Amino acid sequence: MFDEFREKLIGIVTSRLTVFTLLFGLLAGILVYRCFDLQIVHGQQYLDEFVLEIEKTRDISSTRGNIYDRNGNLLAYNELAYSVKIEDVFEAGRSRNSNLNATIYQLIQMIEKNGDKCITDFGIYLNEDHEFTFTMEDTALLRFLADVYGYKVVGDLKDEERTATADEVMEYLSGTTRFAIGEYEDPEDTKSTFLAGAGYTKEDWLKMVTIRYAMNLTSYRKYIGTTVATNVSEKTVAVIMENSQSLPGVSVVEDTMRRYVDSKYFAHVLGYTGKISSEELTELNGQTEEAGVGTDVYNINDVVGKGGIEAYMETTLQGVKGYEKVIVDNMGKVISIVERKEAKAGQNVYLTIDKDLTEAVYNILEQRLAGLVSSKIINTKEYRAAENADSSDIKIPIYDVYFAMFDNSIIDLKHMESDEAKETEKEVAAAHLSYRQSVYERLDQELTERQTPYNELSKEYQVYQSNIVTLLRRNGVIMTEAVDSEDAVQLAWSDEETISLSEYLRHCISQNWIDVSRLELDDKYSDSAEIYDKIREYIIAMIENNVEFQKRFYKYMLLNDVISGRQVCQILCEQDRVNIPEDDWNAIFEGKITAYEFMKNRINNLDITPAELALDPCNASSVITDVNSGDVLAIVSYPGYDNNMMANSIDADYYARLNADKSRPQYNYATQYTAAPGSTFKMLVASAGLMEGVITLDSQTNCTGTFSEIPSDPHPPRCWRRWGHGNENVTTAIRDSCNYYFYNVGYQLSMGSGMYVETEGLDTLQKYAELYGLTEKSGIELAEAPPNVSTEDPMRSSIGQGSNSFTTVALARYVATVANRGTCYNLTLLDKVTDSDGSITQEFEPDVRNVIEMPQEYWEAIQAGMRQVVQNKVYFNDLAVNVAGKTGTAEERQSRPSHGLFTCFAPYEQPEIAIATRIPFGYSSDYAAQATRDIIKYYYGLAEEEDLITGTADTPDEGVTDEM
């Protein structure tokens, strides 16, 4: 028995199962021991020492090339700065959005507490009414909406997405299916209604959406940082570094900022830099691929040129990015660099423009505009035209100037209502509050009791009611597309003006022209009375929040003597909106100077500029070209703006002010504004007449004042000199700007078949417009409006009227072609390109578009007429350089002054430069000519610079005529 037991025991011990059992038991014991040692004995120590190593590749941005003028003066450069970035390191899950949003919000508060600003590169901004508004329109807006809703092709947008408002886009992106920026109605119940944007101010809500949207665009590329703020202070850097443990994914990096020298003078030429859009991304990657540089060179986080030379020369200025592969720990800190390739700096671009000349031209235009505006101001409340007055007689009432202080936001309306407001501010703010309430009450009475027909209202309440209807249409309450323009009641309101606003709105309700969904009705089946009551409530709330409507009150407060011009002047002082001597300050408060005198002094001293007034005229443009190369020596659009505030990341407040500015500083009046050329077109018509044989150098036309060759014309065209000029040849007709002579040329060009056929004359004018480069853009490397050669009335078209419409830069090329006798160049702003070491890599040569073959005697006759134009201008007397030029005054509407235009070249004997200067609504071409004379003085050094650039208004010279 013992032997049997021993054998079994030996069998068990020697069996494979026992060996495996013991082995696994031993291993299990070791594992338990190690786990105990790792987690209990040394757990905290190992946790503290743990480092997660991750390899990632990140781009090294290249340094953008500089931009210089033709003389090597710096215009655009880079400056080292710190930027704050955030990477999406948040784990997926229910709390991801809330954690990410909380981090971003905390980051925003840290940045802005120290006076720095977060990025606002988004397709939506807050306008002056504190409403979300798109920053773009048309095709650019559709592309933005397609990106928001996740479509590659714009055509895939649904109707409701295509027509989405800025508010709807904000709510969509903030919804729980996207970024979940907001709060639940019941914070404890995630099934309750989610309120987009709740818990945030509108400003912070927009910043949150902007940052989340930017992060979303790079979500497919892990570890790509999204810029939250640029050019932050060292204080902000320190705060973020101190709080890095609570800011996962946030880092501070060295970066470069684009900077512009004397920005307001060159903003329209240079443009600015900003974050790339999806449309630009596709286009630029297409360009680089086509050029053989590579594919996907640009990514959605890149900064690129936005307009101007920055955009046109983007791939030249950008340089080539480098990269580095790094090992980072779980906090995103770099442990080691595995591989690195340095970036290659962008190339430098030299322009044809002269920096000093450009600045001088800008200042001359501003001084001339100020003098012109000042000369037209009269000390009265309103301008009432005399019976036979024309547009040249229009004056500016001083009360329009007072109101402009409110209308163009020179006076800060919010400050007037703040705790920091001073005495006069408080007085005017209180008066505004009282006046506004009285207007609200009167408007409500008109909607309920009075119901006064529109044509029986005072001018003030006509303005209010017409603006109310405009706003209702703009806001979609009155559905414009549903309105029947031929409806009798609609006509009674819009054309006949014989019904009240109350009647009109009730009719809109009855005709289902009202979108009741915008009225927040308790019951969608409400009757017409309930709808009407809601419209009344809506109107008051609407105008309460509309800044333009609120500003309108100040106009009538002034006209009705509720507030005075003196109070306006005092508020300018209290808010430090004007920098004036202490004596002037005391004088306006002590009654030693009238408000009229004070305001005229401010305008004459350029304490308040024409652009700030935004009254006619407040804009101007001038283009100077080298007639022998097509180089643009100066191109100026007044007013300019500070593109430093737009570069790198747009300053949202500044952008909103620019958009609200009535002088339209972002608009390039040299390349985008088109208007009739007036009599400057007559050199072209003279060429056509001579070349087509309808006139000769010796033939004369007797100007009798009224051109009556077409008996069927009920309003025969008349010469600007009503009693006529008598006999004129081509040279004297240009000299005298004789409309009759050129009517006859247009008429004769239309008589080729023996009878008057308009299309014959128009086709011939089109032919010569093409020869002078007026049928296509000038070639300049900036956004340019296309030209329009007239397609109606060859007689009036021959004096630059009809539907002729050209930019200032197009007319500069045209007059340069006249000056050099037939060589039409494509204009350019580009001189050369150099690498970062200064070696020239590309030089730009003159580009001849075409040559006009015309006998020299024809050129001599035309140029002689232009020379005589200048000789007849007394303000050109004693100019040491002989100038040949042509004035052109074009009336657009009788309610505003005519446009003033002057084209010229100098010297007359051996032309070097051509100039085109335009002052929209500038009364007379003589004012544009006087500004051009000063420009010529500066260019040729015919006067001391301090005598030309005085920083004060230039009083208009004598010798202004009614010549067209």
Side-chain angles (χ1 to χ4, degrees), residues 37 173 175 230 370 444 460 502 549 564 575 591 666 696 709 725 765 784 820 870 879 946:
D37 183 67
L173 289 174
T230 58
D444 196 57
E460 177 180 359
S502 173
F549 203 103
S564 67
Q575 292 190 355
Q666 285 183 281
T696 68
E709 291 296 320
H725 287 95
L765 293 176
E784 183 180 351
N820 65 38
V870 175
L879 198 65
E946 56 267 26

Side-chain angles (χ1 to χ4, degrees), residues 18-34:
T18 301
V19 173
F20 280 119
T21 300
L22 292 172
L23 179 61
F24 279 116
L26 177 63
L27 292 174
I30 294 171
L31 182 61
V32 169
Y33 171 77
R34 289 298 296 157

Side-chain angles (χ1 to χ4, degrees), residues 703-757:
C703 169
T704 59
T706 301
F707 189 82
S708 54
E709 291 296 320
I710 303 177
S712 60
D713 191 340
H715 303 288
R718 303 178 69 177
C719 189
W720 67 270
R721 195 175 189 181
R722 299 297 176 89
W723 56 91
H725 287 95
N727 289 327
E728 297 271 20
N729 61 33
V730 66
T731 298
T732 62
I734 291 173
R735 177 196 67 197
D736 298 333
S737 199
C738 179
N739 290 345
Y740 188 104
Y741 182 92
F742 288 98
Y743 290 146
N744 184 58
V745 174
Y747 174 74
Q748 295 298 332
L749 291 174
S750 305
M751 293 290 290
S753 59
M755 57 188 297
Y756 181 72
V757 181

Side-chain angles (χ1 to χ4, degrees), residues 454-470:
Y454 184 87
N455 58 358
E456 296 178 17
L457 290 168
S458 66
K459 177 63 177 177
E460 177 180 359
Y461 280 85
Q462 285 182 346
V463 169
Y464 294 152
Q465 291 196 5
S466 61
N467 282 346
I468 285 170
V469 172
T470 299

Side-chain angles (χ1 to χ4, degrees), residues 356-370:
D356 295 337
L357 176 62
T358 300
E359 293 181 5
V361 171
Y362 184 100
N363 290 327
I364 287 169
L365 290 177
E366 183 171 63
Q367 291 174 186
R368 282 283 158 189
L369 283 174

